[in-house]
Amino acid sequence: MHPPIRYASASDGTRVAYASHGEGPPLVFARGWISHLDAMWDDPEFRPFMEALGAHFTVTRYDVRGCGLSDRNPTALDLDDLVSDLEAVVERVSPDDPFVLYGTCYGGIVAARFASQHPERVSKLVLDGTYAKGDDIGTPRMRESVMAMIRMLDDQPRAAHAMLDFFTNPDGGDLRDQRLDRTRRAVDGAVAARLYELSFAVDITSDLRSVAMPTLVLHRTRTQAIPFVNGQHVAALVRDATFVGVEGAAHNPWEGDARPPLAAMSRFLDAPIDRAYRPRTTARPTVVLFTDMEGSTATTARVGDDSAQEIVRAHNAIVRVGLDGRGGRVVKSTGDGVMAEFTSVSSAVLAAIDIQRALEEHNVVNPDAAIRVRIGINAGEPVSEDDDLHGIVVSTASRICDQARAGEILVSNVVRELATGKSLTFGDAGAFELKGLQESIRLYRVEF
């Protein structure tokens, strides 16, 4: 379940969405300039990281103005406006007691300014992957290049992927499509450009020098987004700072190996956060199969709701028998079909053949209630979380299914190669451009 969403009002009336989870003393998390409370909670790396914090703290997250579930088109958008968003949330969740303030990336900028202006409110400060001056981030040419990619966020997948690889984890693998979808839900390209442009204009040198509370500064050693030297500079400016360099290229602490940053925070906050960390992301070889009924909407319009529901029930029964007979597991219903997983390619392909043959027999006996289904199969290492599958392996399987004709089974080349020696026959169906993939992909038709 997602933590419930609540709202606070900033000093200029901007609505700021926030959510809290966990138990213990208060900890407020400042994410930075791209956030979405619900979408981030669905992230298989972010959620276990936050749940580990929530095992010892009452953690409050919020969406900055312009992002996520907060007001998406703010008129005022400078650093002090972003600080006022944080102030509004703090007044709701910890109006009297000091709290731990944890800021990552651009959220660290906001957190540092708040801590310098309200030293009595912050018991301890954690700054992760942040910087002191916008002018110190890369070269003007690099900044112009990134700005151009941000402006193409809404309609250029290749540029958007490049931007996310730069800002987050270049080794994101199967999570790249999920990150892109989450980012597009979180912020519009025009607002993202305004926020990113603002990030180059900030200078919190004097704020960092006036920070008085104990401070932990974390920074990944090989991050591209904000180079390691920037974290060292931040630590040098804060009077009572502990600096910890964390090995890795992923900029966000929850991406890649999250245990080292959690271990450093555990020591600093005197709470065994790292022991509560339970990573949900697991990758294992899996064959993913999608089915989709052709023309289900037209069928409903032709035969009526009751008869259409009978057809759906017949479809579900036939598909279930085919999957069960070959050891498949239904992951979820997609409305007009199912998504299923197998541990072997041959089992998935044979199940698809069984389903299509059973449907042919059904259609001969029931010509007025014929069921025509397309099937797509892909294989790889999808991300498994809470009995669901995510990632590019899954999205590719779905899009392969979309390319199939009624009664047809299409598979990726990975499936065809893994089926070598299995007495299965494949025909070349041609090259296809699939949404979300940078290059065309060759698909193969199962001959049966």
Side-chain angles (χ1 to χ4, degrees):
M1 294 179 62
H2 293 75
I5 305 299
R6 296 181 171 87
Y7 282 88
S9 182
S11 57
D12 63 355
T14 298
R15 294 183 298 273
V16 182
Y18 69 94
S20 299
H21 72 277
E23 295 181 355
L27 182 152
V28 177
F29 174 69
R31 163 72 179 97
W33 58 272
I34 292 182
S35 62
H36 190 297
L37 292 172
D38 280 348
M40 291 295 291
W41 195 251
D42 290 332
D43 184 283
E45 293 178 314
F46 180 81
R47 179 170 174 174
F49 188 92
M50 285 292 136
E51 288 179 330
L53 292 178
H56 298 280
F57 295 90
T58 300
V59 180
T60 297
R61 303 172 294 125
Y62 70 99
D63 288 334
V64 300
R65 61 181 63 203
C67 291
L69 302 175
S70 294
D71 279 351
R72 295 294 290 260
N73 293 293
T75 55
L77 194 58
D78 62 23
L79 179 55
D80 288 334
D81 296 318
L82 300 183
V83 172
S84 74
D85 294 347
L86 175 54
E87 290 171 340
V89 172
V90 167
E91 283 303 310
R92 289 294 183 88
V93 300
S94 186
D96 302 315
D97 299 327
F99 60 93
V100 175
L101 181 54
Y102 177 25
T104 62
C105 195
Y106 192 68
I109 301 286
V110 177
R113 175 152 293 184
F114 179 96
S116 71
Q117 294 176 347
H118 307 280
E120 76 287 353
R121 306 302 311 279
V122 181
S123 59
K124 289 185 176 181
L125 176 65
V126 181
L127 302 175
D128 195 327
T130 192
Y131 60 99
K133 296 174 61 177
D135 286 343
D136 294 339
I137 308 300
T139 64
R141 183 174 181 179
M142 180 278 291
R143 295 196 289 264
E144 290 174 5
S145 176
V146 174
M147 286 293 293
M149 288 190 289
I150 288 174
R151 292 189 182 98
M152 291 187 284
L153 173 65
D154 295 331
D155 53 10
Q156 294 290 335
R158 189 172 300 182
H161 273 308
M163 180 199 75
L164 289 175
D165 288 346
F166 180 83
F167 280 121
T168 56
N169 184 5
D171 301 320
D174 286 344
L175 292 177
R176 293 174 82 237
D177 270 11
Q178 188 176 343
R179 286 189 344 226
L180 177 56
D181 178 68
R182 183 176 67 245
T183 300
R184 285 173 166 164
R185 287 177 61 189
V187 66
D188 299 328
V191 176
R194 288 175 65 192
L195 286 165
Y196 193 64
E197 191 171 17
L198 173 62
S199 71
F200 290 136
V202 299
D203 183 348
I204 59 163
T205 301
S206 60
D207 300 276
L208 291 169
R209 285 180 174 145
S210 66
V211 166
M213 68 287 301
T215 301
L216 173 65
V217 179
L218 299 169
H219 214 97
R220 282 263 168 75
T221 55
R222 293 182 286 111
T223 174
Q224 302 176 78
I226 301 172
F228 184 68
V229 66
N230 293 103
Q232 294 173 310
H233 186 207
V234 168
L237 291 170
V238 178
R239 184 168 50 230
D240 188 16
T242 298
F243 180 74
V244 177
V246 180
E247 177 59 31
H251 190 72
N252 291 321
W254 51 87
E255 294 176 344
D257 187 358
R259 286 185 173 86
L262 285 173
M265 291 177 66
S266 296
R267 293 189 295 270
F268 178 70
L269 300 175
D270 194 25
I273 300 165
D274 52 341
R275 297 181 192 174
Y277 179 59
R278 299 290 183 270
R280 293 171 180 258
T281 302
T282 57
R284 53 187 169 82
T286 301
V287 186
V288 181
L289 177 150
F290 276 85
T291 72
D292 181 60
M293 288 178 60
E294 183 188 62
S296 59
T297 301
T299 298
T300 301
R302 178 171 56 83
V303 303
D305 289 337
D306 292 341
S307 296
Q309 192 57 40
E310 289 291 334
I311 293 173
V312 170
R313 281 194 283 269
H315 161 271
N316 292 346
I318 292 170
V319 169
R320 177 73 70 172
V321 169
L323 297 176
D324 290 347
R326 301 290 181 175
R329 180 183 80 90
V330 175
V331 178
K332 61 184 176 184
S333 170
T334 59
D336 297 328
V338 300
M339 169 179 148
E341 65 170 344
F342 293 81
T343 57
S344 81
V345 162
S346 58
S347 295
V349 174
L350 290 171
I353 293 172
D354 291 345
I355 290 168
Q356 294 292 25
R357 285 176 172 165
L359 289 171
E360 288 177 357
E361 294 173 5
H362 168 87
N363 294 344
V364 170
V365 178
N366 303 277
D368 294 331
I371 303 171
R372 296 178 175 84
V373 168
R374 54 176 70 90
I375 299 178
I377 307 175
N378 191 28
E381 293 187 344
V383 175
S384 176
E385 181 191 9
D386 293 340
D387 291 327
D388 200 354
L389 300 177
H390 308 275
I392 196 168
V393 171
V394 175
S395 59
T396 300
S398 175
R399 287 158 188 164
I400 291 173
C401 181
D402 292 342
Q403 299 299 323
R405 296 190 296 268
E408 192 173 49
I409 306 165
L410 290 184
V411 305
S412 65
N413 187 51
V414 174
V415 171
R416 182 183 70 94
E417 290 184 344
L418 290 173
T420 300
K422 301 296 184 181
S423 300
L424 296 168
T425 305
F426 301 88
D428 189 348
F432 294 80
E433 298 285 342
L434 301 186
K435 182 180 178 182
L437 299 183
Q438 297 182 10
E439 298 178 358
S440 62
I441 180 173
R442 187 161 291 278
L443 302 180
Y444 295 86
R445 184 183 305 105
V446 179
E447 308 284 0
F448 62 97

